[in-house]
PDB file of all heavy atoms in Angstrom:
ATOM      1  N   ALA A  56       2.930 -29.175   2.166  1.00 97.00           N
ATOM      2  CA  ALA A  56       3.686 -29.755   3.285  1.00 97.00           C
ATOM      3  C   ALA A  56       5.180 -29.468   3.178  1.00 97.00           C
ATOM      4  O   ALA A  56       5.820 -29.057   4.152  1.00 97.00           O
ATOM      5  CB  ALA A  56       3.431 -31.260   3.363  1.00 97.00           C
ATOM      6  N   ARG A  57       5.735 -29.632   1.987  1.00 96.00           N
ATOM      7  CA  ARG A  57       7.186 -29.434   1.836  1.00 96.00           C
ATOM      8  C   ARG A  57       7.594 -27.985   2.052  1.00 96.00           C
ATOM      9  O   ARG A  57       8.573 -27.683   2.718  1.00 96.00           O
ATOM     10  CB  ARG A  57       7.625 -29.863   0.426  1.00 96.00           C
ATOM     11  CG  ARG A  57       7.936 -31.344   0.341  1.00 96.00           C
ATOM     12  CD  ARG A  57       8.561 -31.684  -0.973  1.00 96.00           C
ATOM     13  NE  ARG A  57       9.817 -30.976  -1.224  1.00 96.00           N
ATOM     14  CZ  ARG A  57      10.583 -31.215  -2.262  1.00 96.00           C
ATOM     15  NH1 ARG A  57      10.245 -32.142  -3.140  1.00 96.00           N
ATOM     16  NH2 ARG A  57      11.699 -30.533  -2.439  1.00 96.00           N
ATOM     17  N   LEU A  58       6.810 -27.097   1.425  1.00 97.00           N
ATOM     18  CA  LEU A  58       7.099 -25.662   1.548  1.00 97.00           C
ATOM     19  C   LEU A  58       7.011 -25.211   3.001  1.00 97.00           C
ATOM     20  O   LEU A  58       7.885 -24.492   3.509  1.00 97.00           O
ATOM     21  CB  LEU A  58       6.102 -24.879   0.681  1.00 97.00           C
ATOM     22  CG  LEU A  58       6.286 -23.368   0.613  1.00 97.00           C
ATOM     23  CD1 LEU A  58       7.540 -23.021  -0.178  1.00 97.00           C
ATOM     24  CD2 LEU A  58       5.070 -22.712  -0.042  1.00 97.00           C
ATOM     25  N   LEU A  59       5.965 -25.653   3.689  1.00 98.00           N
ATOM     26  CA  LEU A  59       5.779 -25.257   5.087  1.00 98.00           C
ATOM     27  C   LEU A  59       6.914 -25.797   5.945  1.00 98.00           C
ATOM     28  O   LEU A  59       7.430 -25.100   6.822  1.00 98.00           O
ATOM     29  CB  LEU A  59       4.431 -25.769   5.606  1.00 98.00           C
ATOM     30  CG  LEU A  59       3.182 -25.242   4.881  1.00 98.00           C
ATOM     31  CD1 LEU A  59       1.922 -25.873   5.472  1.00 98.00           C
ATOM     32  CD2 LEU A  59       3.085 -23.722   4.949  1.00 98.00           C
ATOM     33  N   ASN A  60       7.323 -27.022   5.670  1.00 97.00           N
ATOM     34  CA  ASN A  60       8.422 -27.624   6.410  1.00 97.00           C
ATOM     35  C   ASN A  60       9.713 -26.827   6.214  1.00 97.00           C
ATOM     36  O   ASN A  60      10.439 -26.527   7.170  1.00 97.00           O
ATOM     37  CB  ASN A  60       8.604 -29.071   5.931  1.00 97.00           C
ATOM     38  CG  ASN A  60       9.518 -29.864   6.840  1.00 97.00           C
ATOM     39  OD1 ASN A  60      10.308 -29.302   7.596  1.00 97.00           O
ATOM     40  ND2 ASN A  60       9.400 -31.178   6.784  1.00 97.00           N
ATOM     41  N   ALA A  61       9.975 -26.458   4.966  1.00 96.00           N
ATOM     42  CA  ALA A  61      11.190 -25.678   4.671  1.00 96.00           C
ATOM     43  C   ALA A  61      11.157 -24.328   5.389  1.00 96.00           C
ATOM     44  O   ALA A  61      12.163 -23.870   5.930  1.00 96.00           O
ATOM     45  CB  ALA A  61      11.338 -25.470   3.169  1.00 96.00           C
ATOM     46  N   ARG A  62       9.979 -23.705   5.403  1.00 97.00           N
ATOM     47  CA  ARG A  62       9.889 -22.377   6.010  1.00 97.00           C
ATOM     48  C   ARG A  62       9.875 -22.420   7.530  1.00 97.00           C
ATOM     49  O   ARG A  62      10.367 -21.507   8.186  1.00 97.00           O
ATOM     50  CB  ARG A  62       8.640 -21.661   5.492  1.00 97.00           C
ATOM     51  CG  ARG A  62       8.787 -21.213   4.045  1.00 97.00           C
ATOM     52  CD  ARG A  62       7.541 -20.496   3.545  1.00 97.00           C
ATOM     53  NE  ARG A  62       7.730 -20.049   2.161  1.00 97.00           N
ATOM     54  CZ  ARG A  62       6.731 -19.685   1.362  1.00 97.00           C
ATOM     55  NH1 ARG A  62       5.480 -19.695   1.801  1.00 97.00           N
ATOM     56  NH2 ARG A  62       6.982 -19.290   0.128  1.00 97.00           N
ATOM     57  N   ALA A  63       9.241 -23.456   8.086  1.00 96.00           N
ATOM     58  CA  ALA A  63       9.120 -23.513   9.551  1.00 96.00           C
ATOM     59  C   ALA A  63      10.286 -24.247  10.191  1.00 96.00           C
ATOM     60  O   ALA A  63      10.501 -24.135  11.393  1.00 96.00           O
ATOM     61  CB  ALA A  63       7.816 -24.199   9.938  1.00 96.00           C
ATOM     62  N   GLY A  64      11.022 -25.009   9.375  1.00 95.00           N
ATOM     63  CA  GLY A  64      12.109 -25.804   9.940  1.00 95.00           C
ATOM     64  C   GLY A  64      11.597 -27.064  10.622  1.00 95.00           C
ATOM     65  O   GLY A  64      12.344 -27.747  11.326  1.00 95.00           O
ATOM     66  N   ARG A  65      10.322 -27.368  10.445  1.00 96.00           N
ATOM     67  CA  ARG A  65       9.730 -28.575  11.044  1.00 96.00           C
ATOM     68  C   ARG A  65       8.420 -28.863  10.325  1.00 96.00           C
ATOM     69  O   ARG A  65       7.798 -27.946   9.780  1.00 96.00           O
ATOM     70  CB  ARG A  65       9.501 -28.358  12.538  1.00 96.00           C
ATOM     71  CG  ARG A  65       8.582 -27.174  12.815  1.00 96.00           C
ATOM     72  CD  ARG A  65       8.641 -26.656  14.231  1.00 96.00           C
ATOM     73  NE  ARG A  65       8.020 -27.573  15.159  1.00 96.00           N
ATOM     74  CZ  ARG A  65       7.572 -27.226  16.377  1.00 96.00           C
ATOM     75  NH1 ARG A  65       7.679 -25.953  16.785  1.00 96.00           N
ATOM     76  NH2 ARG A  65       7.032 -28.094  17.171  1.00 96.00           N
ATOM     77  N   PRO A  66       7.954 -30.097  10.341  1.00 98.00           N
ATOM     78  CA  PRO A  66       6.697 -30.388   9.654  1.00 98.00           C
ATOM     79  C   PRO A  66       5.495 -29.796  10.392  1.00 98.00           C
ATOM     80  O   PRO A  66       5.514 -29.673  11.617  1.00 98.00           O
ATOM     81  CB  PRO A  66       6.630 -31.930   9.685  1.00 98.00           C
ATOM     82  CG  PRO A  66       7.971 -32.399  10.131  1.00 98.00           C
ATOM     83  CD  PRO A  66       8.581 -31.291  10.927  1.00 98.00           C
ATOM     84  N   ILE A  67       4.483 -29.425   9.632  1.00 98.00           N
ATOM     85  CA  ILE A  67       3.193 -29.014  10.195  1.00 98.00           C
ATOM     86  C   ILE A  67       2.216 -30.154   9.917  1.00 98.00           C
ATOM     87  O   ILE A  67       2.044 -30.543   8.757  1.00 98.00           O
ATOM     88  CB  ILE A  67       2.663 -27.738   9.505  1.00 98.00           C
ATOM     89  CG1 ILE A  67       3.721 -26.632   9.455  1.00 98.00           C
ATOM     90  CG2 ILE A  67       1.374 -27.258  10.177  1.00 98.00           C
ATOM     91  CD1 ILE A  67       4.107 -26.030  10.762  1.00 98.00           C
ATOM     92  N   GLU A  68       1.591 -30.671  10.949  1.00 98.00           N
ATOM     93  CA  GLU A  68       0.698 -31.814  10.774  1.00 98.00           C
ATOM     94  C   GLU A  68      -0.659 -31.555  11.414  1.00 98.00           C
ATOM     95  O   GLU A  68      -0.746 -30.897  12.441  1.00 98.00           O
ATOM     96  CB  GLU A  68       1.300 -33.060  11.451  1.00 98.00           C
ATOM     97  CG  GLU A  68       2.521 -33.609  10.760  1.00 98.00           C
ATOM     98  CD  GLU A  68       3.117 -34.788  11.519  1.00 98.00           C
ATOM     99  OE1 GLU A  68       2.539 -35.177  12.560  1.00 98.00           O
ATOM    100  OE2 GLU A  68       4.163 -35.285  11.078  1.00 98.00           O
ATOM    101  N   ILE A  69      -1.680 -32.141  10.828  1.00 98.00           N
ATOM    102  CA  ILE A  69      -3.004 -32.128  11.449  1.00 98.00           C
ATOM    103  C   ILE A  69      -3.193 -33.498  12.097  1.00 98.00           C
ATOM    104  O   ILE A  69      -2.962 -34.522  11.449  1.00 98.00           O
ATOM    105  CB  ILE A  69      -4.096 -31.891  10.394  1.00 98.00           C
ATOM    106  CG1 ILE A  69      -3.914 -30.505   9.760  1.00 98.00           C
ATOM    107  CG2 ILE A  69      -5.491 -32.016  11.019  1.00 98.00           C
ATOM    108  CD1 ILE A  69      -4.751 -30.291   8.502  1.00 98.00           C
ATOM    109  N   VAL A  70      -3.586 -33.501  13.367  1.00 98.00           N
ATOM    110  CA  VAL A  70      -3.816 -34.799  13.992  1.00 98.00           C
ATOM    111  C   VAL A  70      -5.296 -35.109  14.152  1.00 98.00           C
ATOM    112  O   VAL A  70      -5.709 -36.251  14.067  1.00 98.00           O
ATOM    113  CB  VAL A  70      -3.097 -34.951  15.359  1.00 98.00           C
ATOM    114  CG1 VAL A  70      -1.602 -34.940  15.168  1.00 98.00           C
ATOM    115  CG2 VAL A  70      -3.514 -33.878  16.332  1.00 98.00           C
ATOM    116  N   ALA A  71      -6.104 -34.081  14.358  1.00 98.00           N
ATOM    117  CA  ALA A  71      -7.531 -34.343  14.582  1.00 98.00           C
ATOM    118  C   ALA A  71      -8.351 -33.131  14.179  1.00 98.00           C
ATOM    119  O   ALA A  71      -7.853 -32.004  14.166  1.00 98.00           O
ATOM    120  CB  ALA A  71      -7.774 -34.666  16.055  1.00 98.00           C
ATOM    121  N   VAL A  72      -9.601 -33.392  13.826  1.00 98.00           N
ATOM    122  CA  VAL A  72     -10.516 -32.313  13.428  1.00 98.00           C
ATOM    123  C   VAL A  72     -11.860 -32.516  14.126  1.00 98.00           C
ATOM    124  O   VAL A  72     -12.167 -33.598  14.627  1.00 98.00           O
ATOM    125  CB  VAL A  72     -10.722 -32.277  11.896  1.00 98.00           C
ATOM    126  CG1 VAL A  72      -9.415 -31.968  11.181  1.00 98.00           C
ATOM    127  CG2 VAL A  72     -11.312 -33.588  11.382  1.00 98.00           C
TER     128      VAL A  72
END
Side-chain angles (χ1 to χ4, degrees):
Chain A
R57 274 189 60 174
L58 183 70
L59 299 178
N60 192 340
R62 287 180 179 163
R65 59 197 289 201
I67 310 292
E68 290 177 2
I69 297 167
V70 294
V72 297

